[in-house]
Every structure is written in structure tokens, then in C-alpha cells.
Amino acid sequence: QYNVSFQNVHAASRHDRLYSRPFIESFEETPMLVAVLTYMGYGILTIFGYLRDFLRHWKIERCHIAREREEQQDFVPLYQDFENFYTRNLYMRIRDNWNRPICSVPGEKMDLMERVSHDFNWTFKYTGRVVPDVINLGSYNYLGFAENQGPCADAAAQITMTYGAGVASTRQEIGNLDRHEEMEKLVAKFLGLESAMAFGMGFATNSMNIPALVGKGCLILSDELNHASLVLGARLSGSTIRVFKHNNMQSLEKLLREAIVHGQPRTHRPWKKILIVVEGIYSMEGSIVRLPEVIALKKRYRAYLYLDEAHSIGALGPRGRGVVDYFGLDPRDVDVLMGTFTKSFGAAGGYIAGKRLIDYLRSHSHSAVYATSMSPPVVEQIITSMKCIMGEDGTTIGCDRVRQLAENTVYFRKRLREMGFIIYGNNDSPVIPMMLYMPAKIGAFGREMLKRNIGVVVVGFPATPIIESRARFCISAAHTRDMLNRVRRQFHGLIFFQKSYFPLCSYLLIILVNSCS
């Protein structure tokens, strides 16, 4: 074994006066030896992949994946070659760690349908058995409202008896229910803004509304780690896109200055709009946006700000109002406030809120004009859970859950660090990435956790940088201290997955065995 000295990189700010509380985020550079071994692992897998492709070409080994028909061999390829190569030779080895079917409510615990593969994860067969009471560390159930009993479930069931399950029309036609109107008014009140508009899909809330706000002649300044929905929306808009380093205000300010000074390419005319696009909590890094500094920059350079609060709404702030509440800022300083109902509210869909904005989107957003209205029970789930958070249900259930989530987050992060694991992100973020680095550990960690009745999400390239594979834990207010301690105890048996690394020969042996399977 070998030891590597790690360097803690704490994000310090030059603008401490903008923050009313300490803002500390911890990241660690990948040690050189770990990086070299990780690249070696991917290199070995790639070499064996090409070897197996050679065997498949000569029909020595069977290929199960989709490929061009023989009569289309001379056509322009329909499938991307490298994407196909990665899928069949790398992803397929650890495919059993994803798409696991559950057969219960995805609460703090869940039941999994057991499945096996007899052809190295190309196909799966269900055994008919159920793996019960798996601790759920993968769902975005931050406040525990994804449940089948309690006030939210009862209200959703009751509304289904009255309105049915579907609307079968768009909002602009005959699909605009009174419950939709009430929900949007409640969302606006919850956020402290003039008006809000809801959409049936969180991904489409970004991808279909950004093109309605900006277009040709506009400039989008996007964080390099923004979600795929934001990236897609920016590309569909036809705007010029420039990317700044993650949460790096110096990089953002440099782009803003250049945009003001130089204007549009060739013509040097001023940009019609400059839109800064950021997230509240970044779901792969566990980091929180430096919102006070972003707002200060957008005011100084007169840009617009688009804030995606998909993971932060409900999960941050003393009142659960998201990252704006977390920093104690005025929500009116954010021009476009976006969020989703899929996480903290245990429902589906998304929203956009702002001032003098919603009336425009109602007639110009593709997601508003052409999409079917939200399902009535989903709407009722949103209304009931939001009233719980606001305390309008006459109880303290919502406030208690917001507080419990914050306590669970701080406790679990602190304990993992004490055990020596490398944890990314902000101390207050309920998204907790634990670094695994090497490709062989991605599948092994997920499988070993499931053997111990713990469901986790493991992530690797291309969702993360190639040398920064990780496990991602999502903490919930529904998790008890006993559950978190049980998970922590199980980690003791898996400590070799990070700090106490495999000897080099053992690691290479695992890669070779996986490559030959």
C-alpha cells in the first residue's frame, strides 16, 4: 500500500462582507499516483475493448448491442462510434448498478426487485424475490415528502377522486384547473415574488424556457458544471454561449468585462441581453452557488440572472426557501427564479418565478403552449407539501423537517470526514459526493453497498471528469440517526475503497479480471 498526502482546498472569498455566515466548501486535488492509476485502469479497459471489438468483428464473440444492419454498412453511421464503444466495453461491465427497479415508496427505506444477469449485464432476469428495507441514499427526497401516508398522500388521493388522474389538454385550451391557479399563487407567495408559473417537467422547464427568454444576439454566461437541461436550453436558444469556471467569480467577471468592452463578434455591437445562468446546489459537486457575489456582479454590469434551484429549494435556508433564503437575500434581485417540485416536494414538474416575466412566458414558452397540464394529484401533492413547509397547515411538520435535514447533513458529512473519506462540496449541502476515483471501484462499491442493504448512486465518466469517479449520497430529513450510523458502520468494512488503497498489483489484477469478463 502507499500513502499520499492530500491537500485541502477550501474556497475562500474576497467578498466576505457579502456573507452573513461562513461559506466554506471543501475540494481536494486528485493525488498524482491516484490519477496515474486511474488513467491506467481506463487504458487497460480501452485496450481490452478494442480487442473484444476485433473478436466481435470476426464473429468470435457475440455482440448484443445495437449496430447497423448489413445492408446499411455503407450509409452514414446512425450511431456514434465512440459512444457505442464506451457503452459496450466500459459501461456494460457495471450496468447492474443503475436502473434498479424498486417496488415501494422511495422513502428513507425502499424495497428492490432482485435481478440477476447470466451474460455479463447485457440482459437481466428477475428472480421473483424482493430485497426489503434497503436504506435509500440515492433519491432526492430531501424533506421526506415522497411517502404513501400522511396529509400529502391523503390530499392527493382525495383530489384524484374529484378531478381524476389526468387533464388531457394544455393550459391554454381547457386544461387550466383552479388547482393550477392556486398552486401558482402559492409558489409565488412561498418565494416572495409577484407571480409564478408551473410546468409538468423539470427538465423542460429549463430547456424550453431559456429559448423563450434569449435568442440570437444575446450572450449566455454559464457555469461549467451546469445541468444538462440548462446546457440544452442555452444551445436551443441560438445565443452565444461562454462558460466560466465553476463558482469562480474572477472568471465570471472577466467574461462580463470582455462582453461589455468588445460586444458581439465581428460587428462589436452591444449584446441585446447578457444572461448569467447558475444553479443553487450543484448535484454532482455538492457545492452551493456564491449567490451574493453573483448578484453583485450582475448589478454592476447590468446583466440578467437565471437561478436554477432544483436541488436547493426546500433543502436550504432556515425556512426552506432555497439558496436565496440561505444567504438572506432579496428574491427580487434574481431576475428568473427556477426550481423543481421533483425533489423536496416529492412530486413532479418545475416552476419559474419572477417580476413582469410570467405573462410573457405564458404565450411564448413552448413548454406552456404545447405541453399537457400537470396531473391534479401531483398538483395537490405540491400544494399540501408547500403549505406544510410554510406552516399554513397549522403544524410544525415542515419546519421540523427543514431543521432535521440540516442536522442530518452536517452530522453525516462530519462523520465521513472523521473516517478519512474525501468529501466534496459545501458543509450545508445535502448532496454529499464521496470520491472513489478508480473505475474498478465504481461497480464494486455499488454492489458491496447493496449487499449490506444500502442503496447508493455511483457516478463516473462522462458524468464526471475521468479521474473523479464518486459515490453520491442524498441525505433526507426522513433518515434517522440510527440509519446514518448504520451506514457509517458499514463503511468501516469498505475503507479500502478510498484512503487505504489497493496495492498496485491487486488493483491491476481487478482491472484485468473485469476486462476479461
Side-chain angles (χ1 to χ4, degrees):
Q1 296 184 356
Y2 55 91
N3 295 318
V4 180
S5 60
F6 290 91
Q7 177 184 2
N8 281 322
V9 181
H10 291 288
S13 172
R14 298 181 307 163
H15 305 277
D16 291 335
R17 58 184 175 79
L18 297 175
Y19 296 86
S20 59
R21 57 190 300 168
F23 185 81
I24 299 176
E25 293 189 343
S26 179
F27 299 92
E28 296 193 12
E29 296 180 0
T30 305
M32 180 60 68
L33 185 54
V34 175
V36 170
L37 290 177
T38 302
Y39 280 122
M40 287 178 60
Y42 277 107
I44 293 172
L45 289 171
T46 302
I47 292 172
F48 272 84
Y50 280 114
L51 175 61
R52 298 184 72 173
D53 277 355
F54 176 79
L55 298 177
R56 292 178 186 126
H57 177 75
W58 293 102
K59 306 282 192 289
I60 299 175
E61 179 178 335
R62 183 180 177 185
C63 183
H64 303 264
I65 205 164
R67 55 190 307 181
E68 306 288 351
R69 295 197 300 268
E70 292 295 331
E71 59 269 23
Q72 292 181 320
Q73 289 299 312
D74 296 329
F75 288 25
V76 176
L78 180 62
Y79 308 107
Q80 293 293 327
D81 184 61
F82 179 76
E83 293 177 5
N84 241 10
F85 175 86
Y86 186 87
T87 299
R88 65 178 175 264
N89 293 305
L90 283 81
Y91 166 74
M92 202 58 62
R93 305 176 187 282
I94 53 178
R95 180 170 167 243
D96 56 304
N97 284 281
W98 294 281
N99 305 314
R100 289 169 175 161
I102 68 173
C103 51
S104 68
V105 175
E108 67 277 13
K109 290 186 177 182
M110 58 186 177
D111 297 337
L112 290 179
M113 295 177 63
E114 188 180 68
R115 61 180 183 176
V116 295
S117 177
H118 301 294
D119 53 4
F120 306 106
N121 294 337
W122 288 99
T123 60
F124 293 99
K125 293 183 178 179
Y126 296 104
T127 64
R129 293 191 291 271
V130 173
V131 183
D133 296 330
V134 177
I135 296 178
N136 183 3
L137 288 177
S139 297
Y140 307 129
N141 187 24
Y142 296 130
L143 295 181
F145 283 115
E147 51 193 358
N148 59 358
Q149 57 184 359
C152 294
D154 294 341
Q158 181 62 41
I159 211 72
T160 304
M161 300 300 295
T162 305
Y163 289 87
V167 181
S169 181
T170 65
R171 293 283 297 275
Q172 287 198 344
E173 294 170 342
I174 56 173
N176 188 30
L177 304 179
D178 57 342
R179 306 306 289 170
H180 290 134
E181 299 280 352
E182 180 181 344
M183 175 186 63
E184 290 178 342
K185 291 178 181 178
L186 186 64
V187 171
K189 180 181 178 182
F190 179 71
L191 297 173
L193 290 170
E194 297 172 357
S195 57
M197 185 176 181
F199 305 88
M201 181 181 179
F203 190 99
T205 305
N206 280 329
S207 60
M208 292 291 100
N209 283 296
I210 291 179
L213 297 172
V214 290
K216 189 175 180 180
C218 299
L219 174 65
I220 294 178
L221 302 180
S222 177
D223 190 289
E224 65 179 348
L225 297 183
N226 274 343
H227 190 262
S229 60
L230 295 169
V231 175
L232 178 60
R235 290 175 177 173
L236 291 176
S237 71
S239 303
T240 301
I241 305 170
R242 291 175 184 164
V243 179
F244 61 91
K245 295 178 181 179
H246 174 56
N247 243 356
N248 188 312
M249 296 302 105
Q250 291 75 31
S251 176
L252 174 58
E253 185 170 14
K254 179 182 178 182
L255 292 179
L256 282 168
R257 284 179 176 175
E258 291 176 353
I260 298 298
V261 172
H262 299 294
Q264 299 184 41
R266 294 194 300 273
T267 65
H268 298 293
R269 293 176 180 172
W271 295 99
K272 295 179 181 179
K273 299 175 188 174
I274 299 178
L275 182 67
I276 303 170
V277 181
V278 294
E279 295 186 47
I281 291 179
Y282 291 85
S283 59
M284 284 297 171
E285 304 298 318
S287 56
I288 297 176
V289 65
R290 298 178 177 277
L291 191 58
E293 295 178 60
V294 175
I295 290 178
L297 286 176
K298 83 105 180 176
K299 287 181 177 180
R300 183 183 308 165
Y301 295 97
R302 297 186 180 181
Y304 293 96
L305 175 59
Y306 187 108
L307 174 61
D308 178 348
E309 290 228 62
H311 285 269
S312 54
I313 191 67
L316 283 181
R319 301 175 300 158
R321 263 68 163 183
V323 69
V324 177
D325 183 36
Y326 176 77
F327 287 112
L329 302 173
D330 187 347
R332 290 172 295 183
D333 287 334
V334 180
D335 301 288
V336 186
L337 196 57
M338 177 271 175
T340 64
F341 304 118
T342 55
K343 301 169 180 68
S344 293
F345 303 97
Y351 66 83
I352 282 184
K355 51 184 180 181
R356 301 186 302 274
L357 171 70
I358 302 306
D359 289 339
Y360 173 81
L361 287 179
R362 290 193 192 280
S363 58
H364 289 79
S365 168
H366 288 80
S367 188
V369 177
Y370 300 110
T372 303
S373 301
M374 293 179 68
S375 172
V378 173
V379 172
E380 198 63 25
Q381 167 76 18
I382 296 167
I383 292 174
T384 310
S385 58
M386 191 170 289
K387 285 184 176 179
C388 285
I389 298 173
M390 298 171 70
E392 292 189 3
D393 61 337
T395 70
T396 61
I397 292 176
C399 294
D400 293 342
R401 294 190 181 192
V402 171
R403 184 178 63 255
Q404 187 62 51
L405 173 63
E407 292 176 0
N408 286 351
T409 296
V410 173
Y411 175 80
F412 197 62
R413 278 183 171 273
K414 180 180 179 181
R415 290 295 180 262
L416 289 183
R417 283 203 177 95
E418 288 175 352
M419 294 172 64
F421 290 108
I422 302 173
I423 304 301
Y424 272 14
N426 193 284
N427 289 344
D428 296 320
S429 170
V431 179
I432 305 178
M434 186 182 80
M435 305 310 293
L436 299 176
Y437 297 115
M438 303 176 188
K441 296 180 181 180
I442 302 174
F445 184 82
R447 294 175 190 130
E448 290 297 324
M449 285 287 96
L450 187 58
K451 289 179 182 178
R452 293 158 172 79
N453 257 35
I454 300 171
V456 300
V457 172
V458 287
V459 191
F461 180 81
T464 67
I466 195 169
I467 59 173
E468 292 185 8
S469 299
R470 64 197 68 181
R472 184 185 65 179
F473 310 124
C474 292
I475 302 302
S476 171
H479 289 137
T480 64
R481 190 60 58 90
D482 289 339
M483 289 181 190
L484 298 178
N485 286 334
R486 177 186 166 190
V487 172
R488 194 165 55 88
R489 287 194 297 269
Q490 296 299 332
F491 282 173
H492 276 292
L494 297 175
I495 198 76
F496 63 89
F497 274 102
Q498 195 184 66
K499 282 288 189 177
S500 299
Y501 298 102
F502 290 118
L504 177 58
C505 57
S506 300
Y507 174 71
L508 295 179
L509 180 62
I510 288 178
I511 289 290
L512 290 172
V513 170
N514 286 339
S515 299
C516 296
S517 61

